[in-house]
Amino acid sequence: MRFSGRGGELDCGGSGKPLAVLDPASDRRGDLMSAEDRIPVLVGAAARVQRTEDPTQAEEPLDLMEGALREAAVDAGEPGLLKQVDSIWAPRGFWAYADPGRILADRFGASNVKTVIAEVGVLQSTVLGRAAQSIAQGESQIAMIVGAEAKDRA
């Protein structure tokens, strides 16, 4: 199944659930890099784990996402990547944010960022694959993938 939108089409990866492009960049970046430069490479990774006895002291999921991306940029050796990001991908969580990628882009001072949310049921590996595909096809140069759940468990 494919999802068509203003920014083109995205394959659902066989799950039947679309990856919703919320704010696609109007310009395509394919002419900025040669095919050899478009090999997707993971340059930084981070995870934030939060366990607290008092859920009122817990960080918001969006703050966890921001912290993880900042730590991943440091892990990559280039915190400036945050301002240069051109796509932010996230699997939908149990949070109330309509577009967490847009909020994160604003926090990082990044402009013209395409944000994508994978609906519930889309495998997280599908999100990674689609972000890598967008780099390989020249649609993105710096893609960030983030997610967060901050549910209290009894």
Side-chain angles (χ1 to χ4, degrees):
M1 174 181 275
R2 297 183 81 73
F3 172 74
S4 296
R6 200 173 55 141
E9 291 187 351
L10 291 174
D11 190 314
C12 297
S15 70
K17 303 278 186 174
L19 299 176
V21 179
L22 299 178
D23 190 15
S26 59
D27 65 325
R28 297 190 56 103
R29 295 177 168 83
D31 59 336
L32 298 178
M33 297 188 298
S34 69
E36 295 82 31
D37 293 333
R38 290 190 297 237
I39 297 171
V41 176
L42 178 65
V43 297
R48 307 247 350 237
V49 177
Q50 171 181 256
R51 290 185 174 76
T52 179
E53 294 295 318
D54 182 358
T56 64
Q57 300 300 310
E59 285 185 80
E60 281 288 317
L62 192 65
D63 295 332
L64 293 169
M65 290 182 216
E66 178 182 1
L69 288 177
R70 288 189 185 282
E71 291 171 17
V74 168
D75 182 58
E78 184 54 59
L81 290 173
L82 297 169
K83 189 169 182 157
Q84 299 170 34
V85 64
D86 57 24
S87 64
I88 299 177
W89 302 67
R92 183 163 310 280
F94 291 100
W95 22 259
Y97 317 113
D99 188 356
R102 175 70 37 224
I103 298 168
L104 292 167
D106 290 344
R107 287 185 180 186
F108 300 146
S111 59
N112 201 24
V113 176
K114 174 179 81 171
T115 60
V116 180
I117 292 185
E119 295 302 324
V120 173
V122 173
L123 296 175
Q124 292 178 359
S125 60
T126 300
V127 177
L128 175 63
R130 295 301 173 242
Q133 182 178 31
S134 75
I135 291 171
Q137 293 176 342
E139 297 169 349
S140 178
Q141 291 182 34
I142 300 172
M144 295 185 177
I145 302 165
V146 68
E149 283 304 331
K151 291 180 71 172
D152 181 40
R153 295 183 182 174

